[in-house]
Amino acid sequence: MSSTLLDAPAPPRQEIRRKRRPPYLPWLLLSAAMVLLGVLTGFPLVRLVVMSFQEYERAQLMGQPAEWVGFDNYATILTDVDGFWTVLARSFVLMVVLVVVTIVLGMLVALLMMRVGKGLRLLVSVGLLLAWAMPSLAATTVWGWLFDTQYGVVNNLLTKITGDRWFGYSWLLDPLSFFVIVTCIVVWGAVPFVAFTLYAGLTQIPEEVIEAAQLDGASAFQRFRLIQLPYVRSIVTVLVVLSMIWDLKLFTQVFVLQDIGGDRELTSTIGVYIYQMGMAQGHYGLASAIGVIFVFVMLAIAYPYVRRTLREEEL
């Protein structure tokens, strides 16, 4: 009996193979999201590209047909050294400063949360969450009030400390101090996300590795440089790319501070420049061309990260 069972032929491979799901099932499940993305993202993007090749002004909003001008809008923008290129360079410099300060402070806060006790860590986490949860418009309004010309807290404190009269001094009129305040606002709101993300990554490092490095006599900086930083390098890369994208398209903080008292000509970033060109001046065709160029700039920034991610998935 047993020899009969052993000698029985194995069932065909097709019979024991699991039935594959229909190839259309994943696409069917994604169809609703794809339709929603196509309506909310795809159509505006196509409309943006079309308008960038048209002379689209306020008259076209009233129903007049738009005239096709080819690449004239792009030529006008790309040859505008005092306008587009100056604003783009200013935006890149501000982006670099914001990214560096945000990542460095976020890493320091994450390392602090690794060192402190549970109670103090909870206090720091609550403070970070409160800063993170505040809308950027509300935060910018509060910071603008702190540096108000007549009733600002900063001018009041400087008057009491130095004895000089600081009332009437405008911090927003000077471009350098304007961008210092912008940096404070953006970093204040961005550090919590970076700190929480890095803290989550640092907690995944095995304690045995840190303890072994301590026994070998490695200093705190050496442990950070040789162990902790390599472990969270991929997380840092993601945070840097995301911060570059977010900071390059900065709008709310700059726009609100300009309304409070900043010089628009000397402090506009690329996001505000697009708004001014389109909504304020009515040059929607030129604004669309800037938007298309800006999309390619953002893709160029994100491309190295996407390429690296795809390579890691292949490995």
Side-chain angles (χ1 to χ4, degrees):
M1 181 67 178
S2 59
S3 60
T4 306
L5 293 176
L6 292 175
D7 297 337
R13 183 175 300 178
Q14 290 78 7
E15 295 181 5
I16 63 174
R17 183 181 299 173
R18 292 182 179 179
K19 293 183 178 180
R20 294 183 178 179
R21 294 180 179 179
Y24 58 83
L25 183 58
W27 294 104
L28 182 62
L29 296 175
L30 292 173
S31 59
M34 294 176 64
V35 171
L36 187 62
L37 286 175
V39 173
L40 297 181
T41 305
F43 176 76
L45 185 59
V46 172
R47 185 61 178 158
L48 179 72
V49 174
V50 171
M51 289 177 60
S52 68
F53 293 100
Q54 296 176 332
E55 185 180 356
Y56 209 98
E57 306 288 328
R58 288 196 174 96
Q60 278 65 45
L61 293 178
M62 301 296 123
Q64 292 188 12
E67 181 183 352
W68 291 89
V69 294
F71 290 94
D72 289 353
N73 290 332
Y74 292 95
T76 302
I77 294 301
L78 294 176
T79 55
D80 186 10
V81 178
D82 296 331
F84 172 74
W85 289 109
T86 301
V87 172
L88 187 62
R90 184 187 302 140
S91 301
F92 266 97
V93 172
L94 179 62
M95 176 200 68
V96 172
V97 174
L98 292 175
V99 171
V100 172
V101 176
T102 301
I103 298 299
V104 171
L105 290 181
M107 179 65 78
L108 293 176
V109 173
L111 293 173
L112 174 66
M113 295 174 65
M114 294 285 294
R115 289 294 191 94
V116 299
K118 183 180 295 184
L120 189 55
R121 186 186 303 121
L122 177 62
L123 182 63
V124 174
S125 300
V126 172
L128 292 175
L129 285 174
L130 290 177
W132 194 15
M134 181 173 290
S136 56
L137 178 59
T140 306
T141 304
V142 173
W143 280 85
W145 171 74
L146 291 176
F147 289 91
D148 184 75
T149 304
Q150 297 295 332
Y151 309 102
V153 177
V154 175
N155 285 352
N156 188 20
L157 289 177
L158 289 176
T159 300
K160 292 182 178 180
I161 293 174
T162 63
D164 298 331
R165 183 175 177 83
W166 285 83
F167 293 105
Y169 180 79
S170 177
W171 294 90
L172 300 178
L173 196 58
D174 179 62
L176 180 59
S177 58
F178 178 93
F179 284 114
V180 170
I181 298 174
V182 170
T183 302
C184 293
I185 300 173
V186 175
V187 171
W188 180 77
V191 162
F193 173 74
V194 176
F196 281 130
T197 306
L198 290 175
Y199 173 72
L202 291 172
T203 55
Q204 303 304 311
I205 301 176
E207 295 182 2
E208 295 81 3
V209 179
I210 303 296
E211 293 176 356
Q214 289 177 337
L215 294 176
D216 290 338
S219 63
F221 178 74
Q222 289 175 332
R223 294 196 300 271
F224 170 75
R225 182 174 62 89
L226 300 175
I227 299 176
Q228 292 175 312
L229 185 58
Y231 263 95
V232 297
R233 190 182 303 275
S234 59
I235 298 177
V236 173
T237 303
V238 175
L239 291 174
V240 169
V241 173
L242 291 177
S243 298
M244 290 173 66
I245 294 174
W246 292 337
D247 294 337
L248 191 58
K249 62 185 183 68
L250 195 65
F251 176 81
T252 303
Q253 294 86 345
V254 176
F255 185 79
V256 173
L257 289 181
Q258 286 178 345
D259 278 347
I260 294 176
D263 189 337
R264 296 185 183 277
E265 184 177 354
L266 299 177
T267 58
S268 289
T269 55
I270 190 66
V272 178
Y273 184 69
I274 294 174
Y275 174 84
Q276 292 173 345
M277 183 68 69
M279 301 302 296
Q281 302 179 19
H283 305 311
Y284 301 103
L286 293 175
S288 299
I290 302 173
V292 173
I293 296 173
F294 188 59
V295 169
F296 282 102
V297 172
M298 304 287 272
L299 291 176
I301 293 175
Y303 174 74
Y305 164 69
V306 174
R307 184 180 179 183
R308 180 178 177 180
T309 302
L310 293 176
R311 286 184 175 179
E312 291 178 354
E313 290 181 355
E314 291 177 356
L315 297 176

